[in-house]
Amino acid sequence: MRYQFDFSIIHVKLSELLAGAITTLEVSVLAIVFGFLLGLSLAFLRATRITALRWLVATYVELIRNTPFLVQLFVVYFVLPYAGIKMDPFLAGVIALSLNCGGYAAEIIRAGIESIHEGQIDAGRALGMKYLQVFRYVIFKPAMTTMFPALSSLFITLMLGSSILSAISTPELTSVAYNITAYYYRHFEVFFFISGVYLAFSLLFSLVFRYIEVRFLRDEGPRTPRAILAYILTDTLVEKAHI
Amino acid sequence: METKYFEVRALQFGDIVFMLTTTLTTIELSLIAIIGGLLLGVIIGICRSSNVRGVNILARVYVEFFRGIPILLQIFMFYYGLKIFAIQMPALLSASMAFVFNVAANVGETLRGIILSIPKSQWEAGACLGLPYLAQLRYVILPQVVRAAIPPSIGIMVGLIKDTSLASIVGFVELTRSGALIMAVTMNPYTAFPFIAAIYFLVCFPLTQTSRWLEKALSI
């Protein structure tokens, strides 16, 4: 093997890579927020009694779930401008990711809502709860508890999927890395390094989601930040060690 | 006066034939990857649910790695990694490498969930009937595992078909790449990409529905 590995390029270009990493986080967080809101609205539209609306939402969800994200991205970035909607790669990326995330989230949220038995709502009312209380304690929290693991893994997948935005040169991590390799021909080193960054991000995201789950969706358990963190970390380590 | 070098034109018969040919390439790529991925994934799944600590941790590191970094980067790393080691192989094979390893991680994790979800009493029941270990595995456990594994495997297959679109980014000519090429020739993204999306949908949707139906039909 004649190839000499040279990782000094990472050190030289660290600030650019850092900027890319921050853009990746920005894009992901924006898309998670908008995607979740879209998914929530779609799920509620699908629960209405208007058949046409239900069919429309179902069609959207199936279209999103059965076509590649790259093609959806190209449609948003290349086709929409011809319909008079022009946007820069950053905005197009956020929009495409949100539309995609919304489709998947809608399906998860629907399953979560369906897991609440109708009798539960009646029971809540019978206990003298107000409508908002019923929504908060009987529908929202239990449904959220059911669907949270699926949602958090969807959001982590979305963050990883934001690397695909490099195809339309949104200045996120993969795109920045690709541009660096185009000048320095250190493909393997740079991609190896940013793989590590993505791995760290996915661990960070899963820690944050676990924190939210333990803090807000459990009725008992640790409550102070330090105790929750300790709980999550030992939990992860124990899983790592066995089974 | 402005000179027109390119003219915007509509899709022609040849373009459509090209897209359908590349659809076959996409399917070929997916089939190679799913076969390789299932074989490797079964090994990963068994290691992942094993009691031997070292084996288990190794399998877990493998799964975390391939599920924790973007598939696009896995494609890049295989593409440039193979170049570094000067390994020559047919484009179809080198393009499918990343997908094989990625699918294996997903299959392994799915299998682990299924294997662990089978109650211990099932093994014990087999033992009570006087079956030797291999017979317990063959007649009691495996049928349940295979039955539970079919719907999620189809789901993984659908995910894989969609992911193969990313091979276009390193220049492998499959369905999505053909769309980009046709857009460059016709100067008209209006038709190419919606057409491509429709082809993906026609391939994936029946699979999704089958998986859903099987999930209901096979559940006990």
Side-chain angles (χ1 to χ4, degrees):
Chain A
M1 192 179 88
R2 292 224 186 83
Y3 192 83
Q4 295 282 318
F5 289 97
D6 179 10
F7 282 92
S8 63
I9 180 72
I10 311 291
H11 185 68
V12 177
K13 291 285 171 187
L14 201 59
S15 60
E16 279 177 42
L17 288 168
L18 196 68
I22 290 170
T23 312
T24 288
L25 284 183
E26 278 173 8
V27 170
S28 311
V29 170
L30 284 174
I32 286 172
V33 171
F34 289 123
F36 179 69
L37 291 178
L38 177 64
L40 207 60
S41 349
L42 288 175
F44 275 102
L45 285 179
R46 207 171 181 178
T48 57
R49 296 222 171 96
I50 309 162
T51 319
L53 213 58
R54 284 215 312 261
W55 270 92
L56 215 65
V57 174
T59 311
Y60 176 82
V61 170
E62 291 304 332
L63 274 179
I64 291 287
R65 285 165 58 95
N66 287 294
T67 54
F69 175 65
L70 184 62
V71 174
Q72 295 162 13
L73 181 67
F74 282 161
V75 169
V76 169
Y77 190 63
F78 291 123
V79 180
L80 287 190
Y82 278 74
I85 309 163
K86 286 222 163 96
M87 52 200 138
D88 64 350
F90 183 88
L91 188 62
V94 171
I95 291 176
L97 271 179
S98 310
L99 290 176
N100 181 273
C101 178
Y104 284 91
E107 201 63 5
I108 294 171
I109 295 170
R110 185 175 72 117
I113 294 174
E114 274 173 10
S115 74
I116 307 289
H117 202 272
E118 246 177 82
Q120 297 273 323
I121 299 167
D122 296 336
R125 291 291 296 155
L127 285 173
M129 282 180 163
K130 302 229 160 46
Y131 277 110
L132 269 179
Q133 282 176 316
V134 168
F135 178 77
R136 186 172 160 194
Y137 295 107
V138 181
I139 301 176
F140 188 75
K141 204 174 163 188
M144 206 56 194
T145 313
T146 318
M147 64 204 183
F148 202 76
L151 274 182
S152 48
S153 88
L154 170 70
F155 293 153
I156 292 171
T157 316
L158 176 140
M159 185 273 294
L160 297 177
S162 74
S163 64
I164 299 172
L165 301 186
S166 60
I168 61 164
S169 66
T170 304
E172 46 71 59
L173 189 53
T174 307
S175 182
V176 168
Y178 200 82
N179 289 339
I180 293 173
T181 62
Y183 281 108
Y184 296 91
Y185 291 97
R186 288 288 166 194
H187 299 92
F188 192 81
E189 289 87 337
V190 174
F191 290 137
F192 188 76
F193 174 74
I194 66 166
S195 295
V197 178
Y198 277 109
L199 207 56
F201 279 175
S202 57
L203 280 176
L204 176 76
F205 272 50
S206 67
L207 277 184
V208 170
F209 291 132
R210 283 283 287 151
Y211 187 96
I212 295 173
E213 190 185 352
V214 172
R215 174 70 187 80
F216 297 105
L217 296 174
R218 298 238 178 119
D219 292 326
E220 48 205 50
R223 274 296 166 267
T224 60
R226 180 178 278 188
I228 295 172
L229 218 57
Y231 174 77
I232 297 170
L233 286 176
T234 44
D235 209 40
T236 325
L237 285 178
V238 166
E239 219 254 314
K240 238 179 202 122
H242 204 62
I243 295 198
Chain B
M1 213 181 99
E2 206 180 25
T3 324
K4 246 184 164 178
Y5 291 100
F6 299 105
E7 264 192 65
V8 175
R9 64 170 174 83
L11 279 189
Q12 287 170 356
F13 183 68
D15 302 330
I16 292 171
V17 171
F18 181 44
M19 282 195 258
L20 293 179
T21 321
T22 51
T23 309
L24 288 182
T25 316
T26 287
I27 292 173
E28 262 177 284
L29 188 61
S30 310
L31 280 180
I32 292 176
I34 194 79
I35 292 169
L38 278 176
L39 291 177
L40 187 58
V42 168
I43 299 172
I44 301 287
I46 292 171
C47 292
R48 193 74 180 82
S49 39
S50 129
N51 286 329
V52 186
R53 221 176 197 199
V55 172
N56 194 318
I57 291 177
L58 226 65
R60 176 158 171 165
V61 168
Y62 175 92
V63 170
E64 295 278 331
F65 182 78
F66 280 97
R67 282 160 63 108
I69 70 173
I71 172 102
L72 180 60
L73 278 178
Q74 294 169 29
I75 295 170
F76 280 157
M77 295 230 281
F78 274 100
Y79 185 75
Y80 295 108
L82 289 176
K83 272 191 179 168
I84 286 178
F85 293 101
I87 298 167
Q88 298 260 330
M89 52 168 81
L92 190 65
L93 216 59
S94 67
S96 61
M97 289 284 272
F99 297 113
V100 168
F101 285 91
N102 187 269
V103 166
N106 286 325
V107 169
E109 201 56 16
T110 312
L111 268 185
R112 168 185 175 256
I114 294 168
I115 292 174
L116 291 182
S117 75
I118 289 175
K120 219 178 171 188
S121 55
Q122 293 285 327
W123 290 92
E124 289 161 2
C128 285
L129 290 173
L131 294 175
Y133 176 79
L134 277 181
Q136 290 171 29
L137 190 68
R138 165 71 185 79
Y139 295 105
V140 183
I141 306 299
L142 261 186
Q144 300 185 48
V145 172
V146 170
R147 184 149 77 159
I150 290 171
S153 301
I154 298 176
I156 290 173
M157 174 87 184
V158 173
L160 168 68
I161 293 173
K162 291 186 287 177
D163 282 344
T164 57
S165 67
L166 298 177
S168 67
I169 296 182
V170 290
F172 185 74
V173 182
E174 41 65 76
L175 186 52
T176 308
R177 182 79 178 157
S178 78
L181 292 173
I182 287 169
M183 180 180 87
V185 174
T186 59
M187 306 294 290
N188 179 6
Y190 249 164
T191 39
F193 284 120
F195 199 88
I196 297 288
I199 295 179
Y200 274 112
F201 186 80
L202 286 179
V203 175
C204 293
F205 187 63
L207 286 175
T208 317
Q209 291 306 98
T210 313
S211 159
R212 236 175 242 176
W213 176 76
L214 277 176
E215 205 170 323
K216 270 192 199 130
L218 294 181
S219 68
I220 314 156

